[in-house]
Amino acid sequence: MASLLGLASNRGRNLLHLDDRRPGGATVDTIVSNHADAPILNAAAERGIDTVAVERDPDESRLDHERRILAELDPTAYDLVCLDGYMRILSDTFLDAVPTTLNVHPSLLPAFPGMDAWGDALAAGVSVTGCTVHVVTDATDDEGNVIEAEIDSGPIVTQESVPVYANDTQETLKDRVLYDGEFRAYPRAVRWFAEGAVSIETTGGRPTDVSIAADESAAFPARRFTTADRVESLRYGENPHQDAAVYGDATVDEPNVVSAPQIGGEKGMSYVNYVDAAGALDLITEFERPAAAVIKHANPAGCAVADELTAAYDAALATDPMSAFGGIVALNRPCDPDTAARIVDSVKHVVVTPGVEADALDVLGERSDMRVLDVSAGDPRPIGPADRSVDVAERSVVGGRLVQQRDHQRLVPDDLEVVTERAPSAAELETMCFAWSVVKHATSNAIALATGTETVGMGIGQVSRVDAVRIATMKAEEHAEGKGPDRSVMASDAFFPFPDGIESAAEAGVAAVVQPGGSIRDEEVIDAADAHDMAMAFTGNRAFRHE
């Protein structure tokens, strides 16, 4: 573990934060102050950190003061020195005797290098400032006199950007730079040093450059920067007691619901509307042919592909009209009058469409409570897989963000490995590929039943896979209109751990199964399928969705 020596003149909040975080296993072992009454000393002592106070005598030189500090320490006992509001410029008398010394400055150096970085940033009218962690280098002459141009000029280790808001005061900006900037940047820099990831180049004994070891095998960069502008404040979040807003990224070219203008409906979009609409749009862009999907609570209630958009919508709705009540409709073709008439005939909260024909907009307008989002960006046209330009998906969790590649897998029959005695027919192979495209948009554990290119039953969000099968078959038997589970194809987003899911599906009349495979009981599952003359194919990849 790395041992840290801290120097502070006042509260030393960064040092206490480092002690809380212990980045890379680093520990703050000693804190020195040039003021005997500095609050950091009591705070450190309460934590069991050694403290030293060495005040400068009125007539004492800078160099003599530094020598007295060094006399109180064993510089070889530390791996890194961290300054935090230490209001003394250090000379080589101190710096040459101790390990690498870091400081944090409250601006993005070289901008605003002075004592009032926050005020200077506000006066300059910049929209972004931040903080800089840098290596401390000598800023004095041989007699210890300060050379202003050399202050905060050491090589930069890391920086953190912080936005400047229109209503900021010096105090609000100062707090944001500390808590949103320095509290991120300083632990990061210390962790890099503790993990041995930092190399410092020197010229004539003076640090001149810093390099950080990169993980060349990583699929994602070591650091990410994201920016977003608030599009609007929402009435509330998932529930009325939660405040909410939606932020947009103007660089995204892919059709999306955040930048889509609302061209119908008297109410604005809610938080839940956005979540469901985004999921519905993501699903229907899986398909080249006309497709429609009905989403409820971020999950497909029904989806279908057909030669005509109206037929696709009818088939999607017929999967589960009861669950579709109050849901979200997404289309991958501009909405036409016939499809619009069918949509307004049932209660739907939002329609997501890549354009609306003029007569269709009049029809949709008959329902003032139904919001219409146009994701065409002014160019009404079919949309599909080719429109997917964003490769990264992310979600917020307490303490950070999870980032992954989007699941762009799309199956064609040749991708499937047939594992049963009965091979699937050409029609079943097509349905397997369709059902797989749907089930990967359902919350795991998920099961999709389909015939042709339309769903007949969905089993979603179960902790038991066999329960997901039972729910999907129950939905197909009891809620679907004009169709059912008999001779359907079942898609499972992950492998079957036991044969019970296959047995349950066979009882309902399911004829074929597509699933990832990979269970230690695959042979038992395959045997169960063979016993019921079911065709089964493995994808080799699962399609979990946990959102």
Side-chain angles (χ1 to χ4, degrees), residues 406-455:
R406 284 177 73 186
D407 187 358
H408 287 314
Q409 60 173 318
R410 295 182 69 227
L411 293 182
V412 296
D414 286 346
D415 295 327
L416 298 172
E417 177 193 0
V418 177
V419 294
T420 47
E421 294 175 358
R422 183 176 79 79
S425 66
E428 286 173 332
L429 287 171
E430 180 184 9
T431 302
M432 286 180 176
C433 294
F434 166 79
W436 186 255
S437 292
V438 175
V439 80
K440 72 190 188 77
H441 291 270
T443 305
S444 189
N445 288 326
I447 295 291
L449 300 181
T451 56
T453 54
E454 61 184 76
T455 52

Side-chain angles (χ1 to χ4, degrees), residues 296-500:
K296 188 72 173 288
H297 298 309
N299 277 295
C303 180
V305 173
D307 292 333
E308 300 293 337
L309 188 64
T310 301
Y313 175 73
D314 286 344
L317 180 65
T319 302
D320 192 353
M322 182 178 71
S323 296
F325 182 88
I328 306 288
V329 175
L331 313 171
N332 71 350
R333 296 290 191 277
C335 187
D336 58 79
D338 287 344
T339 305
R342 285 165 165 77
I343 292 172
V344 299
D345 197 38
S346 60
V347 177
K348 300 291 180 294
H349 286 165
V350 179
V351 178
V352 182
T353 176
V356 180
E357 295 179 13
D359 292 342
L361 188 58
D362 293 337
V363 176
L364 294 173
E366 295 173 8
R367 292 288 302 271
S368 62
D369 60 340
M370 187 165 59
R371 282 136 283 186
V372 181
L373 296 185
D374 181 0
V375 296
S376 70
D379 178 25
R381 60 183 177 83
I383 57 175
D387 291 288
R388 293 184 163 194
S389 59
V390 178
D391 292 326
V392 173
E394 60 182 289
R395 62 177 296 182
S396 175
V397 294
V398 174
R401 302 190 69 78
L402 297 173
V403 181
Q404 65 174 345
Q405 293 176 325
R406 284 177 73 186
D407 187 358
H408 287 314
Q409 60 173 318
R410 295 182 69 227
L411 293 182
V412 296
D414 286 346
D415 295 327
L416 298 172
E417 177 193 0
V418 177
V419 294
T420 47
E421 294 175 358
R422 183 176 79 79
S425 66
E428 286 173 332
L429 287 171
E430 180 184 9
T431 302
M432 286 180 176
C433 294
F434 166 79
W436 186 255
S437 292
V438 175
V439 80
K440 72 190 188 77
H441 291 270
T443 305
S444 189
N445 288 326
I447 295 291
L449 300 181
T451 56
T453 54
E454 61 184 76
T455 52
V456 299
M458 300 293 300
I460 295 168
Q462 300 304 304
V463 294
S464 164
R465 190 156 299 278
V466 69
D467 285 345
V469 174
R470 290 167 179 157
I471 290 171
T473 57
M474 178 275 290
K475 286 282 191 180
E477 291 169 342
E478 300 181 14
H479 296 166
E481 293 184 346
K483 50 189 176 182
D486 191 50
R487 308 307 300 168
S488 67
V489 170
M490 176 170 69
S492 174
D493 67 342
F495 63 63
F496 287 93
F498 302 100
D500 53 2

Side-chain angles (χ1 to χ4, degrees), residues 38-370:
I40 182 62
L41 296 177
N42 287 334
E46 290 174 359
R47 294 167 176 248
I49 299 172
D50 291 339
T51 62
V52 176
V54 182
E55 293 190 323
R56 184 185 178 190
D57 295 334
D59 297 326
E60 188 177 24
S61 73
R62 182 184 312 277
L63 307 185
D64 287 342
H65 181 231
E66 291 177 1
R67 292 187 186 103
R68 282 207 297 127
I69 293 175
L70 291 170
E72 297 287 336
L73 305 169
D74 175 8
T76 63
Y78 308 103
D79 301 296
L80 189 67
V81 179
C82 295
L83 308 186
D84 182 20
Y86 186 68
M87 306 307 291
R88 296 291 300 162
I89 301 299
L90 295 171
S91 75
D92 275 346
T93 298
F94 181 86
L95 296 173
D96 287 348
V98 298
T100 299
T101 300
L102 302 181
N103 191 26
V104 61
H105 182 79
S107 77
L108 297 175
L109 292 173
F112 315 128
M115 294 291 291
D116 186 16
W118 315 283
D120 291 343
L122 291 173
V126 297
S127 59
V128 176
T129 185
C131 67
T132 302
V133 179
H134 63 93
V135 176
V136 178
T137 53
D138 186 14
T140 65
D141 60 21
D142 292 341
E143 286 74 39
N145 300 308
V146 174
I147 305 173
E148 294 289 341
E150 295 294 324
I151 297 175
D152 294 334
S153 63
I156 291 172
V157 178
T158 188
Q159 294 182 306
E160 187 72 24
S161 298
V162 173
V164 180
Y165 299 141
N167 61 348
D168 262 331
T169 64
Q170 185 167 329
E171 195 60 33
T172 60
L173 181 58
K174 178 180 178 180
D175 280 351
R176 192 177 311 114
V177 170
L178 172 65
Y179 294 109
D180 293 350
E182 295 179 14
F183 273 22
R184 289 192 179 112
Y186 223 154
R188 180 191 309 131
V190 170
R191 174 172 58 83
W192 286 343
F193 275 90
E195 294 176 349
V198 182
S199 298
I200 299 177
E201 297 181 15
T202 60
T203 301
R206 178 187 175 93
T208 54
D209 195 15
V210 170
S211 59
I212 311 299
D215 182 0
E216 299 298 338
S217 65
F220 294 98
R223 295 187 63 208
R224 296 179 67 243
F225 293 94
T226 60
T227 61
D229 298 310
R230 191 180 64 207
V231 175
E232 64 175 309
S233 296
L234 304 177
R235 298 193 304 276
Y236 52 80
E238 287 179 298
N239 302 290
H241 64 278
Q242 296 170 273
D243 292 334
V246 58
Y247 285 78
D249 182 352
T251 67
V252 173
D253 293 327
E254 180 175 329
N256 67 91
V257 298
V258 173
S259 64
Q262 182 177 328
I263 61 174
E266 294 179 356
K267 283 186 177 180
M269 293 282 287
S270 72
Y271 182 99
V272 173
N273 290 157
Y274 273 114
V275 172
D276 287 352
L281 177 60
D282 202 28
L283 172 52
I284 54 96
T285 53
E286 291 277 354
F287 307 107
E288 301 279 4
R289 294 170 57 207
V294 180
I295 298 290
K296 188 72 173 288
H297 298 309
N299 277 295
C303 180
V305 173
D307 292 333
E308 300 293 337
L309 188 64
T310 301
Y313 175 73
D314 286 344
L317 180 65
T319 302
D320 192 353
M322 182 178 71
S323 296
F325 182 88
I328 306 288
V329 175
L331 313 171
N332 71 350
R333 296 290 191 277
C335 187
D336 58 79
D338 287 344
T339 305
R342 285 165 165 77
I343 292 172
V344 299
D345 197 38
S346 60
V347 177
K348 300 291 180 294
H349 286 165
V350 179
V351 178
V352 182
T353 176
V356 180
E357 295 179 13
D359 292 342
L361 188 58
D362 293 337
V363 176
L364 294 173
E366 295 173 8
R367 292 288 302 271
S368 62
D369 60 340
M370 187 165 59

